[in-house]
Amino acid sequence: MSNKHHLSFTYLSQEDLLDAGCFDIRMVMDIAEKAMLEFERHHVIFPEKIVQIFNQATQERINCLPATLLDEKVCGVKWVSVFPMNPIQHDQQNLSAIFILSEIETGFPICVMEGTLASNMRVAAMGGLAAKYLARQDSEVIGFIGAGEQAKMHLIAMKAVCPSLKQCRVAAHVVKHEEQFITELSRLFPEMEFVSTNTSLQKAMEDADILVTATSAQAPLLKAAWVKPGTFYSHIGGWEDEFEVALQADKIVCDDWETVTHRTQTLSRMYQEGLINASNIHADLHELVSGKKPGRESQTERIYFNAVGLAYIDVAIAMAMFNRANEKQKGKKLDLQQSMLFEHLGLESKVKL
């Protein structure tokens, strides 16, 4: 006879997610757009994240990001660590994450899943969606400062929305990382020309149609003089560019301006120093998705996009991945409890008094 107090959840490893076909950037961008429309309709609970920074200089931190999707009746949280020195000190990735999803009828957890895939795809999806509305559709050259996971994911998203891209230039802290980027991404896009810049940031950025900074450095690496008219710039990290890059932009778009004001991005620093305010922001990305505001309006506009990360989109992506994995029967069912605490037989032998 089944015990009605037996609780279980699905555990999904990164390999389970890959086997289920969840490395699908178009699915993730579609889910992100739908989530932004739900946010506009006030069908999302979106609290501020909790940040614990252990090293102010390197920004080593662990963040807790909760959100609830009321229509889907799911509450989720992303527990994500960012340790920028990992690649150099430990030859390990700098980001790792885990998600917990709970249904909100009884409040029980339904899934625990590896979250690095979803988290990295969300960052790329937001950059890709911004490019869909803000990049020139005849863009041919994309340049990267940074060659890590976020840069690699961004190329996948950008190529999905800008199939006209023909050349990818990459500048990293060391040439080895540029070469690794090219080795890994050229397998996915054999028709593209890849250029290692021998760590030259200027060579990667100058004359590029789409510019992406994906680095943990806290310094103005991108120079305004390298940003030609008609470009789209996707800013991923914290402080990666000269203030003048934003000041010369014809449009500034954020994933969420209000959230940006509380963070440590370039725009956040400019806001805190009184150099920009809400009147300088053209739109939040959801306003472009819903059509409330226009995207690119001329071939010569310089457009600056800044995303800081929105937990409700992470949760929406995680839920979509969970549903796809369920359809493909991937993952493991694990017990949370066999019965309620005081229903356990022989409990008297397990209580320490």
Side-chain angles (χ1 to χ4, degrees):
M1 189 172 89
S2 64
N3 184 343
K4 70 176 184 177
H5 295 148
H6 173 230
L7 299 176
S8 64
F9 61 92
T10 299
Y11 170 73
L12 292 166
S13 68
Q14 187 175 98
E15 289 68 26
D16 292 327
L17 296 169
L18 291 172
D19 289 344
C22 292
F23 198 157
D24 182 344
I25 194 66
R26 293 185 185 278
M27 174 192 79
V28 170
M29 287 193 286
D30 182 56
I31 291 297
E33 283 195 299
K34 290 176 180 175
M36 282 187 273
L37 294 177
E38 288 187 27
F39 174 78
E40 271 202 0
R41 294 193 294 265
H42 306 290
H43 291 188
V44 168
I45 299 175
F46 179 35
E48 181 59 36
K49 71 176 181 178
I50 298 170
V51 182
Q52 299 175 86
I53 299 176
F54 313 117
N55 186 320
Q56 289 291 340
T58 62
Q59 290 291 296
E60 293 169 1
R61 61 197 185 273
I62 293 179
N63 299 341
C64 176
L65 297 93
T68 299
L69 309 175
L70 295 173
D71 290 350
E72 286 79 4
K73 296 183 170 57
V74 64
C75 176
V77 63
K78 180 174 75 169
W79 182 263
V80 57
S81 70
V82 182
F83 280 63
M85 300 306 294
N86 277 1
I88 297 170
Q89 294 181 348
H90 308 292
D91 193 27
Q92 292 274 12
Q93 66 200 53
N94 69 346
L95 183 146
S96 63
I98 195 167
F99 281 88
I100 300 174
L101 302 175
S102 296
E103 45 82 7
I104 59 172
E105 291 186 347
T106 61
F108 295 130
I110 55 175
C111 181
V112 174
M113 64 188 286
E114 189 278 337
T116 309
L117 177 65
S119 187
N120 282 340
M121 290 188 76
R122 187 266 307 156
V123 177
M126 297 301 278
L129 283 176
K132 173 181 171 181
Y133 296 97
L134 300 171
R136 291 200 338 263
Q137 292 309 298
D138 62 350
S139 297
E140 294 187 353
V141 179
I142 184 168
F144 287 90
I145 295 178
E149 297 292 304
Q150 297 288 9
K152 295 167 189 175
M153 285 285 190
H154 248 68
L155 180 58
I156 293 171
M158 294 297 183
K159 185 65 173 169
V161 298
C162 295
S164 59
L165 288 171
K166 296 178 180 178
Q167 184 187 82
C168 175
R169 306 172 187 165
V170 58
H173 183 63
V174 294
V175 173
K176 181 178 76 170
H177 293 161
E178 296 176 9
E179 292 172 344
Q180 182 179 356
F181 178 101
I182 292 171
T183 297
E184 294 175 356
L185 274 296
S186 60
R187 292 181 299 170
L188 301 181
F189 305 110
E191 75 286 358
M192 288 193 76
E193 177 191 2
F194 286 85
V195 178
S196 170
T197 66
N198 196 29
T199 74
S200 171
L201 309 187
Q202 182 173 357
K203 187 176 178 181
M205 297 284 104
E206 203 166 43
D207 293 324
D209 302 307
I210 296 177
L211 297 80
V212 181
T213 51
T215 170
S216 58
Q218 296 291 311
L221 302 179
L222 176 62
K223 309 304 181 185
W226 303 341
V227 184
K228 69 178 184 179
T231 53
F232 167 69
Y233 168 42
S234 182
H235 174 113
I236 299 176
W239 177 32
E240 299 178 320
D241 54 311
E242 292 181 331
F243 288 176
E244 185 60 32
V245 176
L247 292 174
Q248 76 178 3
D250 298 289
K251 284 189 173 86
I252 298 174
V253 176
C254 301
D255 57 354
D256 186 89
W257 165 247
E258 177 58 29
T259 304
V260 169
T261 63
H262 301 296
R263 300 291 172 82
T264 57
Q265 261 64 13
T266 304
L267 296 184
S268 314
R269 292 167 181 259
M270 294 175 69
Y271 169 75
Q272 288 151 16
E273 293 184 24
L275 297 175
I276 60 170
N277 55 46
S279 67
N280 302 111
I281 307 305
H282 169 67
D284 285 340
L285 185 55
H286 67 84
E287 296 175 298
L288 306 186
V289 173
S290 66
K292 290 184 175 178
K293 291 186 179 179
R296 175 173 289 275
E297 295 177 278
S298 85
Q299 290 291 87
T300 59
E301 286 180 305
R302 292 183 181 94
I303 301 183
Y304 186 118
F305 175 65
N306 184 195
V308 291
L310 305 175
Y312 70 85
I313 294 177
D314 283 295
V315 172
I317 293 168
M319 189 63 188
M321 289 184 170
F322 168 63
N323 288 335
R324 181 168 286 191
N326 262 351
E327 292 170 7
K328 302 292 185 179
Q329 297 183 317
K330 300 297 180 181
K332 299 176 182 176
K333 281 287 188 183
L334 299 178
D335 284 340
L336 191 66
Q337 66 179 38
Q338 291 286 347
S339 61
M340 291 177 64
L341 181 59
F342 287 96
E343 294 174 344
H344 285 87
L345 296 176
L347 183 63
E348 63 277 6
S349 68
K350 300 171 184 176
V351 176
K352 304 301 180 185
L353 298 173

